[in-house]
Amino acid sequence: MLRLAQTHPTLRVVADQVGAPTPARLIADATLTALSRHGTGAAQIAALSGIYHLAPTGHVSWHGFAKAIMAHRHAMTGSESPQVQAITTPEFPTPAARPANSRLSLERIRGTLGLRLPSWEEALEQVMHERLGAG
């Protein structure tokens, strides 16, 4: 989105798909926290094995996410941001089918591993500060 903002006066972004965009740093941090709390021995890992969903809390459409990115960009740099136009999934065809709702249940990762996961807004703010500096 930041790259597109430099060259496009309008961004057309799907508004009917929701999820929780997950930065790689969150995955790495959560993994390190879980390992430090619960150990790396074979018995500890076996006791906690299974599938865990990991994402920030809350949800947002891709359109809402793009608007939030542009708002942070403007606040941090003063740069004018492009208009973010809401469109439907059929207006933005892709080779891969995308689900309208890609939210994940975080109950197991919070309950079993005791992780506190940030909201998607907190995660975005951290990424924006890493990308654009503190202003």
Side-chain angles (χ1 to χ4, degrees):
M1 285 293 132
L2 292 174
R3 188 176 63 242
L4 291 173
Q6 295 174 352
T7 58
H8 292 75
T10 302
L11 301 176
R12 295 169 33 90
V13 184
V14 173
D16 59 359
Q17 296 176 15
V18 296
T22 307
R25 176 182 293 282
L26 175 59
I27 297 168
D29 289 348
T31 301
L32 287 173
T33 299
L35 290 172
S36 68
R37 284 186 189 169
H38 300 285
T40 58
Q44 292 96 337
I45 291 174
L48 298 171
S49 68
I51 296 173
Y52 293 81
H53 295 156
L54 174 62
T57 62
H59 64 277
V60 65
S61 70
W62 288 111
H63 174 258
F65 190 53
K67 285 182 70 163
I69 291 169
M70 293 308 132
H72 276 287
R73 178 181 182 266
H74 177 72
M76 295 175 74
T77 67
S79 300
E80 286 303 315
S81 293
Q83 294 291 327
V84 181
Q85 179 184 7
I87 62 170
T88 64
T89 296
E91 292 176 278
F92 192 79
T94 60
R98 305 282 185 218
N101 181 350
S102 62
R103 293 181 287 177
L104 301 172
S105 171
L106 304 176
E107 290 178 33
R108 184 164 191 229
I109 198 163
R110 287 192 289 207
T112 303
L113 300 180
L115 294 181
R116 183 229 170 252
L117 298 168
S119 68
W120 70 266
E121 296 98 336
E122 292 171 298
L124 173 60
E125 186 170 340
Q126 181 180 9
V127 169
M128 293 299 290
H129 281 277
E130 289 170 1
R131 293 287 309 236
L132 299 177

